[in-house]
Amino acid sequence: LRKASILKNECDRIGELAAYDTLRSKFGTDTDRTLVMLSTVSQEHRVEALISLGQLAEALAGCDDIVARCGETGRDEYSEHIAWALSTKAFLLAQEERLEDAARVCSQIVNQFGASSTRSLLDSASRALVERASHYLELGRLEEAISDCDTFIATSKSATEPASPETMARSLLIKGSALFEMERTGDAARVLSKILGDYGGVTEPPI
């Protein structure tokens, strides 16, 4: 794993991948807790390297491997790795314009982690809800897009920690866009005006 890190710093992505493959071939089926974690981390880095090389099909297969490998352990400590793999898979499917598939993966994240007591997993589920709304908007499923945005906004208001400004602004933008597409221009204007009112003075990208 350290060898892979050195090769990455040297911009040798092919050598980096080879190091990950060596690690996985030696320890990929081992059930020792530490080795399972190292193998999982190597697969995550491998997926990132594959994405940088444009090898999206192999990256998707790597995401599926993480979900299967961590899921079969039955341990909650691997849940964040599963959430990462599913989120990355949804992103890659969207990149390939497979929006229905991406929306289904987002639904899997929401269903699996939406009621979690872990803050990071709840954040993953919230982001997935907004991503699904975005996919629904592009697919013309406007009522579903608005419903997801409303659910996210309502959940965020009752949460102990507020959602990130970026995610909240994005959900409002999706909702406003969907309302505009439905020719509900008055409602759309009110939602979009809220973005300007709440975030119009924010200078940090991407808001």
Side-chain angles (χ1 to χ4, degrees):
L1 198 58
R2 290 185 181 182
K3 178 180 179 180
S5 179
I6 292 169
L7 291 167
K8 178 182 179 180
N9 289 336
E10 293 178 347
C11 298
D12 182 0
R13 303 315 294 262
I14 302 300
E16 179 191 356
L17 280 172
Y20 295 140
D21 289 339
T22 300
L23 187 151
R24 292 173 60 250
S25 68
K26 290 180 177 292
F27 308 112
T29 60
D30 203 295
T31 58
D32 176 80
R33 180 179 174 183
T34 301
L35 291 176
V36 170
M37 187 64 74
L38 286 172
S39 180
T40 300
V41 170
S42 75
Q43 183 68 290
E44 289 175 348
H45 293 329
R46 180 174 174 270
V47 167
E48 291 173 346
L50 288 166
I51 293 171
S52 74
L53 292 168
Q55 300 179 28
L56 302 190
E58 290 185 57
L60 281 168
C63 292
D64 287 337
D65 178 71
I66 293 171
V67 173
R69 184 89 166 93
C70 293
E72 68 185 11
T73 66
R75 295 173 180 165
D76 289 340
E77 64 189 298
Y78 296 106
S79 293
E80 291 195 25
H81 296 282
I82 294 173
W84 180 90
L86 290 173
S87 297
T88 304
K89 181 178 180 179
F91 167 77
L92 292 172
L93 290 168
Q95 291 290 104
E96 294 187 337
E97 298 185 358
R98 296 167 56 184
L99 298 182
E100 291 282 5
D101 293 332
R104 277 192 287 273
V105 175
C106 289
S107 296
Q108 186 176 348
I109 299 169
V110 171
N111 294 336
Q112 191 163 348
F113 303 114
S116 175
S117 58
T118 304
R119 180 67 196 181
S120 60
L121 294 176
L122 281 174
D123 287 343
S124 293
S126 294
R127 288 192 299 271
L129 192 64
V130 176
E131 287 301 321
R132 187 173 70 180
S134 175
H135 301 326
Y136 284 160
L137 175 63
E138 291 192 59
L139 290 165
R141 296 164 62 174
L142 304 179
E143 292 284 359
E144 291 168 280
I146 292 170
S147 176
D148 276 354
C149 291
D150 285 341
T151 299
F152 169 77
I153 293 167
T155 302
S156 298
K157 286 179 179 178
S158 61
T160 54
E161 295 184 35
S164 71
E166 177 188 344
T167 309
M168 179 59 74
R170 186 156 184 253
S171 70
L172 290 168
L173 180 59
I174 293 167
K175 180 178 180 180
S177 300
L179 289 166
F180 185 77
E181 289 290 325
M182 296 171 72
E183 299 184 357
R184 294 170 56 183
T185 52
D187 293 332
R190 279 189 289 274
V191 173
L192 297 173
S193 293
K194 182 172 175 55
I195 300 175
L196 297 174
D198 290 350
Y199 307 109
V202 178
T203 58
E204 296 88 356
I207 297 176

